Amino acid sequence: MRLTGLPETAVREDIAAALAEDIPWPRVLNSICTAPHPLAVEAAHAAAHTNLGDVRIFRGTKRIERKVVALLLELLGRPQGAGSLVSGGTEANLLAVLAARQDARAAGRLTEHPEVVVGSTVHFSFDKIFSALGITPVRVPVDDGLRLAPESVEKAVSEHTIAVVATAGSSELGVVDRVDAIAAVLEPHGVWLHVDAATGGFIIPFARELGLPLPQFDFSLDGVRSITIDPHKYGLANVPAGAILFRAQEAYQADSFFLDTPAHTTLLGTRPGSAAMATYAVLEHLGREGFVDVTRTNFENTRYLTGRLAEAGYGLLIEPELNIVVARVPHAAEVSRLLGTRDWIVSTSRRFDDAVRIVVARHVTRDVIDEFIPVLVRADQEIRAEVAAR
Ligand SMILES: *Cc1c(COP(=O)(O)O)cnc(C)c1O
């Protein structure tokens, strides 16, 4: 640390310079996150000093967190449920697995070797969680549409199973598991079903309202015991805004799993009230109609992108269910690297070779797509020429 501090102007310049190195949103085609809504930024700024780790002080901020949780529970079909705002999908998924383990323990069903049943499309946050908690994942195959197959799930359930995880919108491919069918096969087993809707939670309810053929995935299905939903993705709030929601009140006091005198409902102690305020601002300001409009635009832009890709000769590896497009591009890793040097960020797929993955978030507009397609075509041609010359 400096002995003598810098003047404010110099610090501001440093910060501005660093921020200018970041890729601007209209060039970000790989992220499930987007430019937060301006009102969210304003709310977060106003609440920058708040800490939900001490609710004796931050009473109003806590009231807003409760309100946000109530709004999310209502969105997902369980006004009488419970939940907390957390740092993101990773922490939410961790709390869900902890709650499921606690539930098995309370019911006298927890064995020495607890297992969680997941599909191969499950988010990698679960790898961290299973490793941290000493839980064995039981990976079951996905079907041709890359969805968790209900009959395989049922076969994988054993006396050791503490939970099954279904994904409502995988972040890699935007695939929505048939949560309704999975809930149905699990019903006789009474196994905890967790739905990771970090990506899809703010898309599917509105897309269904628009008439898109997506399955039900929320608490309206009896077997669903917990849901992860991330306001900092398609909810347009700024990071770090995640949420874990539970069907039952008793599941949610995470501290009670470890401490005799629980103080916190999440793993973290000190945590930002700004995220709660930001999420509240967006939910209240947009309302259901606003989110339906945003969702309609995202799907229109997704279709526009697939059309432009087809015109340019790029097919799709999988029909997009949500707003993630996976196009077949030869030498995709090299194309992606070259695009990166030109400040365009796309990603490739771990599952498919020669695939470029593009996330159509709110900032990926028609104008952005029109600008991007020729850039992609040029990068592709350059790489093909380079490969041919080798
Ligand atoms: C983003 C995401 C996560 C992880 O959330 P973080 O906010 O990055 O911690 C987990 N599951 C799914 C399906 C996601 O899309």
Side-chain angles (χ1 to χ4, degrees):
M1 195 188 290
R2 292 167 190 282
L3 182 56
T4 306
L6 283 178
E8 285 184 7
T9 47
V11 175
R12 285 200 189 97
E13 278 166 23
D14 281 353
I15 289 170
L19 290 174
E21 289 168 31
D22 293 347
I23 303 288
W25 283 113
R27 298 277 178 107
V28 175
L29 304 188
N30 69 327
S31 179
I32 305 269
C33 295
T34 187
H37 193 287
L39 198 60
V41 177
E42 197 181 309
H45 180 79
H49 63 288
T50 61
N51 168 16
L52 283 167
D54 195 333
V55 298
R56 289 189 313 157
I57 305 172
F58 297 100
R59 298 170 187 181
T61 310
K62 182 66 191 175
R63 177 171 66 75
I64 294 296
E65 185 196 13
R66 282 202 202 95
K67 178 81 204 242
V68 171
V69 168
L71 291 170
L72 295 177
L73 285 166
E74 189 205 311
L75 175 68
L76 299 180
R78 188 73 182 167
Q80 65 275 47
S84 305
L85 298 188
V86 294
S87 54
T90 304
E91 190 189 353
N93 287 335
L94 170 66
L95 293 175
V97 175
L98 277 172
R101 188 173 71 177
Q102 186 64 17
D103 185 69
R105 184 179 287 138
R109 288 190 287 102
L110 187 65
T111 68
E112 294 274 298
H113 303 287
E115 296 174 353
V116 172
V117 177
V118 298
S120 58
T121 49
V122 80
H123 189 267
F124 62 84
S125 55
F126 283 98
D127 294 330
K128 305 182 197 174
I129 293 161
F130 297 149
S131 170
L133 299 181
I135 287 169
T136 305
V138 177
R139 291 179 200 279
V140 303
V142 289
D143 65 17
D144 293 342
L146 301 175
R147 295 182 196 94
L148 197 52
E151 49 299 347
S152 315
V153 169
E154 190 177 18
K155 265 191 233 135
V157 168
S158 77
E159 64 189 292
H160 302 294
T161 309
I162 58 166
V164 170
V165 178
T167 305
S170 67
S171 47
E172 191 192 352
L173 304 164
V175 167
V176 183
D177 284 335
R178 301 294 133 178
V179 184
D180 45 359
I182 294 165
V185 298
L186 289 178
E187 213 217 294
H189 304 278
V191 174
W192 185 293
L193 176 56
H194 173 64
V195 179
D196 183 358
T199 289
F202 271 100
I203 305 174
I204 300 167
F206 311 117
R208 281 170 59 91
E209 225 163 278
L210 290 167
L212 291 168
L214 292 163
Q216 191 50 277
F217 71 104
D218 65 14
F219 290 118
S220 63
L221 303 169
D222 279 344
V224 173
R225 304 282 290 276
S226 53
I227 302 178
T228 289
I229 178 170
D230 266 358
H232 66 204
K233 291 175 177 166
Y234 281 80
L236 309 181
N238 37 323
V239 292
I244 181 65
L245 304 174
F246 295 107
R247 169 174 294 275
Q249 290 283 337
E250 58 270 19
Y252 105 111
Q253 193 87 31
D255 267 12
S256 68
F257 309 155
F258 312 108
L259 307 174
D260 293 337
T261 51
H264 298 126
T265 61
T266 64
L267 194 69
L268 303 188
T270 303
R271 64 197 172 98
S274 55
M277 289 295 189
T279 306
Y280 177 75
V282 186
L283 293 179
E284 287 289 270
H285 178 59
L286 289 185
R288 240 191 135 85
E289 285 175 0
F291 272 105
V292 169
D293 286 345
V294 168
T295 306
R296 183 186 295 111
T297 305
N298 286 339
F299 275 93
E300 283 169 3
N301 289 340
T302 304
R303 268 193 302 276
Y304 184 70
L305 172 63
T306 58
R308 294 292 320 259
L309 285 166
E311 275 167 34
Y314 301 109
L316 303 182
L317 279 144
I318 177 170
E319 203 48 46
E321 242 184 320
L322 301 184
N323 309 107
I324 298 174
V325 172
V326 187
R328 191 185 297 280
V329 177
H331 318 292
E334 287 172 86
V335 171
S336 165
R337 215 174 302 119
L338 184 59
L339 289 171
T341 65
R342 294 169 183 173
D343 289 354
W344 282 92
I345 311 296
V346 300
S347 53
T348 52
S349 168
R350 269 174 290 151
R351 183 173 304 270
F352 301 112
D353 294 331
D354 290 343
V356 163
R357 168 182 170 273
I358 300 167
V359 181
V360 182
R362 188 166 175 249
H363 61 271
V364 181
T365 59
R366 278 178 175 236
D367 286 350
V368 169
I369 293 165
D370 286 340
E371 216 189 317
F372 171 67
I373 293 290
V375 174
L376 170 67
V377 169
R378 190 154 62 86
D380 175 20
Q381 284 167 352
E382 285 176 30
I383 294 294
R384 282 186 210 225
E386 219 181 282
V387 170
R390 269 177 206 161

